[in-house]
Amino acid sequence: MKRGFDREALCWALLNFGVEVLIATAWSHHRWLRGFFGDMLAVVWVYFLLKAFLEAKRHALALAAFSVGCLVELGQYVAAVNGWIRPTRYSEQCWARWRTGWTYWLTREAFSGTGL
């Protein structure tokens, strides 16, 4: 990997970020959209952000974006286990899903789906 600049990738990253902001604010009441689709778009956003400033193979950038998404999910899990996240009704539901493994598999599928 070496440094570079791709204007088109930066434009896609900014557009994607705008959609993420809309999902987090205006459409926050749609759980599927915010939880599943938002996670998937976050990985796409990281991919385009990396592509905008790095010259590398697509597979390397995709793997890096996927890894960032998994690390964020792991960080959220660690924060929930240690009580660093202020509990809300939604976070309690997420914690129950984490304990059963349901959220992990669903999030992994969301992240994996971005590679298609």
Side-chain angles (χ1 to χ4, degrees):
M1 284 189 208
K2 56 184 180 175
R3 291 183 200 189
F5 181 72
D6 185 348
R7 182 180 294 203
E8 183 179 356
L10 183 62
C11 289
W12 281 109
L14 291 173
L15 178 68
N16 193 337
F17 182 73
V19 172
E20 285 284 349
V21 168
L22 284 174
I23 288 173
T25 56
W27 302 319
S28 63
H29 57 283
H30 296 290
R31 284 191 178 168
W32 181 86
L33 186 64
R34 184 169 180 157
F36 186 78
F37 192 67
D39 284 353
M40 190 169 69
L41 275 183
V43 172
V44 172
W45 176 69
V46 170
Y47 171 81
F48 279 117
L49 201 59
L50 290 172
K51 185 174 167 66
F53 298 103
L54 296 173
E55 289 183 19
K57 294 183 179 181
R58 288 183 299 166
H59 298 301
L61 293 174
L63 182 60
F66 178 76
S67 299
V68 167
C70 289
L71 286 173
V72 167
E73 287 296 317
L74 181 63
Q76 289 174 351
Y77 172 71
V78 169
V81 168
N82 291 314
W84 300 335
I85 297 176
R86 193 175 104 213
T88 63
R89 183 173 167 214
Y90 181 70
S91 67
E92 289 171 2
Q93 291 171 354
C94 289
W95 172 241
R97 290 182 192 143
W98 258 107
R99 292 197 68 186
T100 60
W102 184 80
T103 298
Y104 169 75
W105 291 107
L106 185 63
T107 302
R108 187 192 62 115
E109 292 301 318
F111 293 161
S112 300
T114 60
L116 300 176

